[in-house]
């Protein structure tokens, strides 16, 4: 659910869209009628991690409300890259609904090629689309359009761009098995490096207690590697950095680093994992397993460190484990300053649009409008650490305040549950919206209840954080009620203002060089993790530097560095713009 659009998403440059360029924009005579018949809607979705017909409770909800079935076409499942986009674009029909990125000139080319339509004629009385007029206008700027509603951006929010968008937990952070940390005496952690000997103690303790020699402090995977080794990027986020191509940019604009920089944050992260491996803390299957295999190990209690809350906590922190005092909590690393994505008043870099060849466009626009309504936000974002799901099924109002039902508690905190037949049946997790598309931020306030769409932020849910695990963590974290509470009070978070910045179109030569360079960087990074000595590690790093420099790394780095600085300008601008709106 957390996969990002990679640069491959933006690689469909000439072939598909040029061939589709002969397509015509929709005629001015627009048919806004809807025949009302059952329709199967083809959804081209760059964010989806599932391909096929949407089933389960969300599928039934969509069918009941709109008489539609969603047939999802997912490049992530169909081999990745731009092949699927190119092929469908060349045929002049990308999909009935399209979820894709607006960057690298894609939004502009989709409009110019006649692959998507202006929703304006169908959007009358669509109050949730018009609610985010500033976001649709921002998309128009990106697409070089003076008017129209060509799509609605993702992740729109009414909150300030300088406020964290993530809720009770940030996107990133060093999370550890707190129960084992407790058993080894809560050692002080001045830096992330101090965590390694502590993890060794925790691993020894876990193996001793269970007799299982295959418990490891860390387990890694390759699935999400892009411009760099994804797992090695994560520790840099603990110190306020995030990636922009081959650049690590600090959230406040105070620093920009090449990932091949000597003694830089990326090299330090690789050293962290290499040291861990030399200490016997890294799962030997890390280089061959996928995310799903690794996730199952977390569920089984075989991994003790997580670089995301939505990994360790989601997999292991069941009610049963928490009542037994077991679970993942953020480690109190004294020098960390965790990167946080600010709320995005103008939306993010992806958007949803209507395809030019779609039938019953009026119904599709109604569906999009619904996705941005309170009911739609609750339903379509109901994934791990997401929104609360269907009112009446997973939650209800008790004395005017939202509260999870018994079923909802089983779903979110009890390891899952099967949905009643009248709601579609099957396992709840199998019925969540496979669109994987965040419309409005689930941290935003539902105007009907006065509380967030995210059930984890409700007073009724927070009041249940009374398990032995919750109490012990809170007692050792200054009485903090949530991770975000702890981070804010202790000035351990760095918010990157939520700007709708998208990378401009990239020259084909730069894209070609990037492809060659990132292969070298990723392969070298994995070798460095498994280096048997510091000298071997240093030799591999220097070799990587030499190799990529020979591939004209400087040319690509210049592009990324400019993009990182332009992104910071956009962050400053949205902060100023939001203040002027108030």
């Amino acid at each position: 659910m957390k996969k990002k659009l990679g640069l491959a998403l933006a690689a469909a440059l000439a072939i598909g869209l040029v061939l589709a360029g002969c397509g015509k924009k929709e005629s001015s005579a627009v048919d806004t009628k809807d025949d009302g018949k059952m329709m199967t809607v083809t959804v081209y979705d760059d964010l989806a991690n599932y391909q096929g017909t949407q089933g389960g409770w969300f599928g039934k909800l969509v069918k009941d409300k709109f008489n539609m079935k969603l047939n999802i076409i997912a490049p992530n499942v169909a081999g990745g890259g731009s092949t699927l986009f190119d092929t469908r674009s060349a045929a002049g029909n990308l999909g009935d609904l399209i979820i894709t990125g607006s960057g690298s000139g894609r939004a502009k080319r989709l409009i110019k090629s006649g692959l998507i339509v202006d929703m304006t004629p169908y959007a009358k009385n669509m109050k949730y689309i018009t609610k985010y007029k500033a976001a649709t206008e921002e998309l128009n700027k990106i697409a070089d359009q003076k008017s129209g509603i060509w799509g609605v951006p993702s992740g729109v929010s009414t909150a300030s761009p300088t406020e964290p968008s993530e809720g009770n937990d940030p996107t990133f952070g060093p999370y550890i098995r707190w129960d084992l940390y407790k058993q080894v005496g809560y050692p002080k952690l001045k830096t992330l490096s101090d965590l390694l000997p502590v993890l060794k103690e925790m691993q020894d303790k876990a193996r001793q207690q269970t007799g299982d020699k295959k418990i490891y402090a860390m387990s890694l995977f390759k699935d999400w590697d892009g411009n760099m080794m994804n797992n090695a990027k994560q520790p840099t986020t603990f110190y306020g950095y995030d990636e922009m191509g081959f650049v690590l940019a600090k959230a406040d604009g105070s620093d920009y680093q090449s990932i091949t920089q000597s003694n830089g944050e990326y090299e330090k992260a690789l050293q962290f994992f290499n040291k861990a491996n030399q200490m016997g803390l890294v799962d030997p299957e890390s280089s061959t397993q996928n995310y799903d295999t690794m996730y199952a190990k977390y569920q089984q209690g075989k991994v003790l460190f997580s670089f995301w809350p939505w990994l360790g906590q989601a997999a292991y922190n069941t009610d049963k484990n928490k009542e037994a005092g077991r679970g993942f909590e953020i480690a109190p690393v004294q020098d960390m300053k965790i990167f946080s994505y600010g709320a995005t008043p103008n939306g993010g870099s992806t958007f949803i649009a209507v395809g030019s060849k779609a039938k019953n466009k009026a119904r599709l626009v109604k569906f999009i409008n619904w996705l941005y309504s309170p009911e739609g936000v609750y339903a379509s974002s109901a994934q791990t650490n997401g929104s609360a799901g269907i009112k009446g099924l997973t939650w209800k109002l008790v004395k005017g305040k939202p509260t999870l039902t018994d079923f909802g508690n089983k779903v979110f905190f009890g390891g899952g549950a099967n949905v009643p037949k009248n709601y579609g049946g099957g396992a709840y997790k199998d019925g969540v919206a496979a669109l994987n598309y965040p419309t409005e931020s689930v941290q935003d306030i539902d105007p009907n209840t006065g509380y967030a769409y995210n059930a984890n932020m409700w007073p009724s849910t927070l009041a249940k954080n009374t398990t032995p695990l919750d109490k012990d963590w809170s007692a050792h974290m200054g009485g903090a009620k949530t991770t975000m509470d702890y981070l804010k009070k202790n000035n351990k978070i760095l918010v990157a203002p939520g700007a709708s910045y998208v990378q401009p179109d990239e020259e084909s030569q730069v894209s070609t060089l990037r492809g060659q360079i990132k292969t070298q960087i990723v392969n070298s990074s994995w070798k460095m993790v498994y280096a048997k000595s510091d000298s071997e590690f240093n030799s591999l790093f220097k070799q990587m530097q030499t190799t990529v420099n020979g591939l004209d790394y400087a040319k690509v780095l210049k592009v990324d560095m400019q993009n990182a600085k332009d992104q910071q300008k956009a962050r400053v601008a949205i902060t100023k713009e939001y203040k002027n709106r108030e």
Side-chain angles (χ1 to χ4, degrees):
M1 64 174 278
K2 292 281 182 180
K3 280 188 179 179
K4 293 182 178 179
L5 286 173
L7 284 166
L9 184 154
L13 299 174
I15 301 176
L17 287 170
V18 168
L19 288 173
C22 57
K24 296 179 181 179
K25 291 186 181 180
E26 185 160 302
S27 166
S28 58
V30 176
D31 182 6
T32 58
K33 294 181 181 179
D34 181 353
D35 63 18
K37 295 179 181 178
M38 176 68 193
M39 65 184 291
T40 298
V41 177
T42 299
V43 185
Y44 174 87
D45 190 347
D46 276 314
L47 297 182
N49 295 312
Y50 164 83
Q51 184 159 282
T53 302
Q54 170 74 56
W57 60 265
F58 186 75
K60 185 176 188 303
L61 182 62
V62 172
K63 183 175 182 294
D64 291 348
K65 291 188 73 68
F66 298 98
N67 205 20
M68 295 185 339
K69 286 184 180 179
L70 303 178
N71 178 40
I72 298 170
I73 307 296
N76 285 338
V77 180
S82 63
T83 303
L84 194 62
F85 183 91
D86 292 343
T87 303
R88 297 185 69 85
S89 297
N93 187 1
L94 191 52
D96 301 320
L97 288 174
I98 297 161
I99 295 173
T100 191
S102 58
S104 300
R106 177 169 283 198
K108 183 178 180 179
R109 293 194 299 274
L110 285 172
I111 296 169
K112 186 177 181 180
S113 303
L115 287 168
I116 62 175
V117 298
D118 179 4
M119 291 188 277
T120 304
Y122 314 98
K124 294 175 182 177
N125 302 318
M126 299 294 163
K127 67 177 183 177
Y128 298 109
I129 290 177
T130 55
K131 174 183 177 182
Y132 289 108
K133 185 179 179 182
T136 57
E137 288 180 346
E138 185 67 24
L139 178 62
N140 284 354
K141 291 179 186 176
I142 294 167
D144 197 21
Q145 297 295 311
K146 294 182 179 179
S147 63
I149 303 174
W150 295 96
V152 187
S154 62
V156 288
S157 176
T158 56
S160 166
T162 57
E163 279 296 310
S165 65
E166 297 106 336
N168 291 340
D169 286 271
T171 302
F172 313 103
Y175 285 72
I176 57 175
R177 273 283 300 277
W178 189 264
D179 50 304
L180 292 166
Y181 179 62
K182 174 183 179 180
Q183 290 180 39
V184 299
Y186 309 103
K188 286 188 177 181
L189 305 168
K190 291 183 179 179
T191 69
L192 191 65
S193 296
D194 293 338
L195 187 58
L196 292 176
V198 176
L199 285 171
K200 179 67 167 66
E201 289 185 68
M202 291 165 60
Q203 180 177 288
D204 291 345
K205 181 74 70 174
R207 289 181 173 185
Q208 178 187 354
Q209 291 175 349
T210 63
D212 186 351
K213 300 299 182 183
K214 290 189 176 182
I215 292 176
Y216 291 93
M218 300 178 187
S219 194
L220 312 176
F221 68 104
K222 287 185 173 181
D223 303 31
W224 300 351
D225 289 349
N227 287 297
M228 64 193 80
M229 178 182 171
N230 177 278
N231 295 166
K233 171 261 181 92
Q234 305 314 316
T236 73
T237 67
F238 305 163
Y239 294 94
Y241 292 86
D242 195 21
E243 64 186 297
M244 175 61 76
F246 295 133
V247 171
L248 290 173
K250 206 158 190 180
D252 59 1
S254 62
D255 189 30
Y256 304 92
Q257 295 186 6
S258 162
I259 59 174
T260 65
Q261 176 179 315
S262 296
N263 300 314
E265 293 298 318
Y266 186 69
E267 184 183 9
K268 290 177 184 177
L270 288 171
Q271 288 171 335
F272 173 75
F273 285 118
N274 174 249
K275 184 68 174 176
N277 187 61
Q278 289 188 45
M279 294 171 66
L281 304 180
V282 178
D283 180 356
E285 296 178 357
S286 292
S287 64
T288 56
Q289 68 186 356
N290 61 20
Y291 180 87
D292 291 339
T293 301
M294 179 200 64
Y295 188 87
K297 292 177 180 178
Y298 278 91
Q299 290 178 308
Q300 296 159 11
K302 291 180 176 290
V303 190
L304 313 179
F305 170 81
S306 168
F307 26 64
W308 300 304
W310 42 268
L311 173 56
Q313 289 188 334
Y316 192 76
N317 285 24
T318 62
D319 280 346
K320 181 179 179 181
N321 280 335
K322 290 178 69 177
E323 285 294 345
R326 299 189 296 266
F328 283 86
E329 297 289 354
I330 198 165
V333 179
Q334 292 178 16
D335 71 341
M336 67 183 177
K337 195 94 165 178
I338 295 175
F339 182 99
S340 171
Y341 294 107
T344 49
N346 290 345
S349 60
T350 56
F351 68 102
I352 185 168
V354 175
S356 58
K357 297 292 179 66
K359 296 179 180 179
N360 299 318
K361 294 182 178 66
R363 198 190 313 180
L364 296 178
V365 174
K366 286 180 182 177
F367 174 66
I368 291 173
N369 185 67
W370 174 79
L371 287 175
Y372 286 81
S373 72
E375 183 184 44
V377 175
Y378 278 119
S380 65
S381 298
Q383 300 189 43
T384 305
N385 287 337
S387 57
I390 300 176
K391 183 180 180 182
L393 175 63
T394 49
W395 66 281
K396 60 185 178 180
L397 290 175
V398 177
K399 296 181 180 179
K401 296 181 180 180
T403 305
L404 290 174
T405 60
D406 290 341
F407 177 81
N409 275 306
K410 290 178 182 176
V411 164
F412 297 116
F413 301 109
N418 289 324
V419 176
K421 287 185 178 180
N422 59 314
Y423 281 97
Y428 183 87
K429 65 181 180 64
D430 294 335
V432 298
L435 298 173
N436 198 24
Y437 180 73
T439 52
E440 184 174 350
S441 168
V442 296
Q443 273 54 264
D444 271 19
I445 302 300
D446 172 9
N448 299 314
T449 67
Y451 295 92
Y453 295 105
N454 186 345
N456 289 321
M457 300 178 72
W458 295 345
S460 58
T461 305
L462 292 173
K464 295 177 183 177
N465 290 345
T466 56
T467 66
L469 175 67
D470 296 311
K471 288 181 177 179
D472 191 70
W473 178 82
S474 179
H476 284 81
M477 303 298 258
K481 299 299 182 185
T482 67
T483 305
M484 196 63 79
D485 181 33
Y486 164 75
L487 295 174
K488 285 182 176 180
K489 286 179 178 177
N490 292 277
N491 195 28
K492 293 186 181 299
I493 194 159
L494 199 61
V495 180
S500 301
Y501 174 81
V502 295
Q503 297 176 55
D505 204 353
E506 189 169 87
E507 292 180 7
S508 58
Q509 183 187 17
V510 172
S511 295
T512 300
L513 290 172
R514 185 184 301 282
Q516 296 170 348
I517 293 167
K518 70 182 184 181
T519 298
Q520 293 295 328
I521 290 175
V522 169
N523 291 343
S524 297
S525 297
W526 278 96
K527 289 178 183 178
M528 280 181 259
V529 168
Y530 289 112
K532 292 183 169 51
S533 65
D534 292 349
S535 59
E536 183 185 354
F537 179 97
N538 294 334
S539 176
L540 285 167
F541 194 82
K542 289 179 181 177
Q543 184 180 332
M544 179 188 75
Q545 289 174 317
T546 301
T547 301
V548 299
N549 287 339
L551 293 170
D552 207 358
Y553 178 73
K555 184 180 182 69
V556 185
L557 181 65
K558 183 179 179 181
V559 172
D560 293 342
M561 195 66 74
Q562 186 62 54
N563 289 342
K565 291 178 179 178
D566 287 345
Q567 177 180 246
Q568 182 60 27
K569 290 178 183 177
R571 289 171 174 170
V572 172
I574 188 61
T575 303
K576 183 177 179 180
E577 179 189 328
Y578 186 85
K579 287 181 179 178
N580 291 336
R581 290 183 195 176
E582 293 179 321

